[in-house]
Amino acid sequence: MALATRSTAGIWGLAAALVGVLAGQITSIFTGPSSSPMDAVGGFVIDITPPAVKDWAVSTFGTADKAFLLVVIAVAVAALGWLAGVAQRRTGWAGAVLLGILGVGSGIIATLRPSSSTTSVMAGMVAALVAILVLRWGIGRVVALDEAANAETDVPNRRLFLMGGAGVAVGGLGLAAVEGFIRPAAVGRPPLDLPAPQASSTLPPGLETRIDGLTPLRTPIEDFYRIDIAVSVPRRETDDWELVIDGMVRNPYTITFDELLAMPMVERDVTLTCVSNPIGGPYVGSTRWQGVLVADILRAADPEARVEQVLSSGADGFSASTPLDVMLDGRDAMIAIAMDGEPLTRVHGYPARLLTPGLYGYVGATKWLEKLTLTTFDEAQAYWTNRGWGERGPVKTATRIDVPGNRLEAGEATIAGVAWATHRGISKVEVRVDDGPWQEATLGEYVGDDYWRQWYLPWNAEGGTHQITARATDGDGEVQTDTIQDVLPDGPTGYHVRTVQVN
Ligand SMILES: Nc1nc2c(c(=O)[nH]1)N[C@H]1C(S)=C(S)[C@@H](COP(=O)(O)O)O[C@H]1N2
Ligand SMILES: [Mo]
């Protein structure tokens, strides 16, 4: 059967688009991550996506939400490439114009991104140029075949089709290699140029040494959850890092990383959790943080009396609104430079981030920190506040059942998990099996009110299906509410319930 030259044109369009994107991504290794056409478009799409869709993406794909976004963009690129090939064959120009607009457009979007520089438009222009060259060459051959009315003689067209297919493979595999290995390696691990933590003691192990499957008292950094809007991890070095303190202050100033390191350092054990962490969910971690107290930084700026919030901004365009009183009430909000005795990893905000005990990450934990603006809640709104989330975000009391899982052998068993009510502390955890009475669990090591608490309860599991429910009481004596509320707008409530099949 004859292979229509239309399909050959489509394949060449697809190849042109993919090879073009590949060229743009390779260029961005040299011109900086914020100039990457895919990241720029991805970031732009994240910014304009309605909050409800974003919620759906996060709850469906979890931390793979960005991988999902890149797949969506790749499919869109493929579809538009195909279209460009078909249009180019028909008109001789429309496909090239389409690819040119897409490439240059992605470059322009890149220059509008928060961390852009003057070279940001370059990767998009390279992408456009390469795509147009490939398209013109391929479609030129297709048109020549059409004109020679050779299309039915099948063989030369099939060869041209296969060549286009090879172009698609080169573009696709090249992109997979560049995005999977080469660009992440270019981001790499930050250099270890920080002073050793002051008190280098680490947290002792907890109940996890005795209870299989229980969340460890201290989260290993490689297991610490990651949530942010950054499509590619911002790459900041200590040499060019600066923190600007401005807004309603009598003494605005800027400090360098060396100046930050010269300030008194503190170490605190703090649990960080995400407002989008569903009941029983994984977006919570606990470790020892090292940094400089925000209060010291703010006082030096001499805030005016009308200041209500500190709007912190990160290199990815994120911002958070932390109430000023929270930062000054002695709870040790800090500009953190280390987690668990090591410099922050790039994904967790290297070289410096904010950390505010007692508040969800979106209101107090800005990564890749660049600026603190002292202002009022009327004057400026934070990234997520503009998208329907609460202006202030105190962490709600929560309990998670880690063990048992959904299946269990009958007999002696242990129910165990973690509970947190950061900054208020946990005073009690209770467990109920089916409609039985609430039984008090044994609490693990007390690390501090800003830290989660492990807990366990021995259980003689009898055959059948059981429902295990857990609830915590915070340090103020307030029992966790059983009212079920979704994560939007200011964090979920309700009890974690685990259904267990006992055999
Ligand atoms: N720059 C920047 N900082 C950010 C975010 C972000 O999108 N960009 N997300 C916040 C949110 S919603 C959370 S829950 C925490 C997560 O911090 P982690 O990724 O280090 O666990 O970072 C906060 N800081
Ligand atoms: Mo979050």
Side-chain angles (χ1 to χ4, degrees):
M1 203 188 78
L3 183 62
T5 48
R6 193 168 184 271
S7 306
T8 307
I11 280 290
W12 271 97
L14 179 54
L18 283 176
V19 172
V21 175
L22 173 63
Q25 295 301 99
I26 291 174
T27 307
S28 76
I29 294 174
F30 304 99
T31 55
S34 59
S35 68
S36 138
M38 275 179 90
D39 294 350
V41 173
F44 177 72
V45 170
I46 290 184
D47 283 353
I48 61 168
T49 301
V53 177
K54 241 183 285 205
D55 275 358
W56 168 82
V58 171
S59 63
T60 310
F61 303 102
T63 41
D65 55 342
K66 276 180 272 291
F68 168 70
L69 174 68
L70 291 180
V71 168
V72 169
I73 292 175
V75 169
V77 166
L80 288 166
W82 187 280
L83 187 72
V86 172
Q88 182 76 6
R89 170 175 167 263
R90 280 239 198 107
T91 60
W93 56 269
V97 168
L98 176 61
L99 293 184
I101 289 174
L102 288 173
V104 175
S106 76
I108 291 172
I109 288 173
T111 61
L112 301 176
R113 300 297 303 160
S115 48
S116 68
S117 62
T118 42
T119 55
S120 293
V121 72
M122 271 183 54
M125 287 173 63
V126 170
L129 189 71
V130 170
I132 290 172
L133 288 177
V134 174
L135 184 78
R136 289 192 49 134
W137 192 89
I139 304 302
R141 302 286 91 70
V142 174
V143 171
L145 279 184
D146 281 339
E147 278 169 0
N150 258 350
E152 307 100 294
T153 57
D154 190 22
V155 178
N157 181 37
R158 174 152 292 155
R159 218 178 92 202
L160 194 56
F161 183 89
L162 290 178
M163 281 169 73
V168 172
V170 166
L173 293 176
L175 263 179
V178 167
E179 295 307 293
F181 307 106
I182 299 172
R183 285 213 310 138
V187 169
R189 261 194 82 86
L192 300 179
D193 58 357
L194 296 182
Q198 289 187 319
S200 50
S201 61
T202 57
L203 279 160
L207 293 173
E208 72 275 9
T209 54
R210 291 194 278 131
I211 302 170
D212 243 16
L214 174 60
T215 300
L217 187 58
R218 176 175 48 88
T219 310
I221 300 307
E222 61 275 18
D223 297 341
F224 210 99
Y225 80 97
R226 172 196 169 191
I227 299 247
D228 52 64
I229 60 165
V231 180
S232 79
V233 178
R235 192 193 165 95
R236 289 291 176 278
E237 306 305 339
T238 52
D239 297 347
D240 52 31
W241 186 86
E242 267 185 356
L243 178 65
V244 174
I245 298 102
D246 66 3
M248 300 169 181
V249 296
R250 290 178 200 90
N251 176 34
Y253 66 105
T254 301
I255 62 171
T256 64
F257 199 74
D258 285 340
E259 288 164 343
L260 185 75
L261 286 188
M263 295 182 70
M265 292 268 164
V266 297
E267 284 200 339
R268 297 290 182 265
D269 299 320
V270 179
T271 294
L272 177 64
T273 183
C274 182
V275 68
S276 301
N277 187 37
I279 298 294
Y283 307 136
V284 55
S286 302
T287 193
R288 177 160 294 179
W289 307 76
Q290 178 196 351
V292 171
L293 292 179
V294 179
D296 292 347
I297 302 261
L298 297 183
R299 288 212 181 88
D302 196 4
E304 293 171 19
R306 61 191 165 130
V307 173
E308 294 167 347
Q309 63 142 327
V310 177
L311 190 79
S312 53
S313 346
D316 56 346
F318 172 86
S319 59
S321 56
T322 318
L324 180 70
D325 51 354
V326 166
M327 285 187 153
L328 298 180
D329 72 1
R331 76 177 63 201
D332 298 339
M334 66 163 98
I335 295 176
I337 58 164
M339 292 166 79
D340 198 18
E342 297 280 344
L344 297 179
T345 55
R346 297 231 185 246
V347 291
H348 292 297
Y350 182 84
R353 72 177 300 171
L354 205 60
L355 179 74
T356 313
L359 302 190
Y360 287 121
Y362 84 106
V363 274
T366 304
K367 303 190 276 188
W368 312 292
L369 185 64
E370 291 189 328
K371 190 152 86 161
L372 300 175
T373 302
L374 288 80
T375 182
T376 61
F377 281 106
D378 270 353
E379 198 68 33
Q381 285 79 41
Y383 184 90
W384 287 112
T385 311
N386 282 328
R387 290 162 175 78
W389 295 77
E391 187 170 76
R392 295 149 200 259
V395 173
K396 297 177 180 176
T397 306
T399 326
R400 181 175 76 199
I401 301 166
D402 292 331
V403 285
N406 298 115
R407 284 183 177 283
L408 190 66
E409 295 292 306
E412 290 302 322
T414 305
I415 303 170
V418 283
W420 61 90
T422 39
H423 206 57
R424 298 183 303 282
I426 292 293
S427 60
K428 186 159 75 174
V429 172
E430 294 163 293
V431 178
R432 184 172 68 182
V433 178
D434 301 323
D435 294 327
W438 286 106
Q439 303 175 63
E440 201 168 329
T442 303
L443 298 181
E445 172 122 21
Y446 171 76
V447 176
D449 285 346
D450 293 329
Y451 211 79
W452 63 18
R453 199 100 190 241
Q454 295 173 314
W455 55 264
Y456 71 96
L457 182 79
W459 177 41
N460 189 6
E462 286 170 15
T465 303
H466 300 287
Q467 284 213 321
I468 302 170
T469 309
R471 71 174 185 195
T473 302
D474 72 13
D476 301 333
E478 188 102 18
V479 183
Q480 190 182 334
T481 174
D482 64 351
T483 307
I484 294 174
Q485 195 202 288
D486 191 25
V487 295
L488 193 72
D490 57 5
T493 61
Y495 296 162
H496 190 203
V497 180
R498 165 82 28 100
T499 304
V500 184
Q501 175 66 43
V502 181
N503 295 310

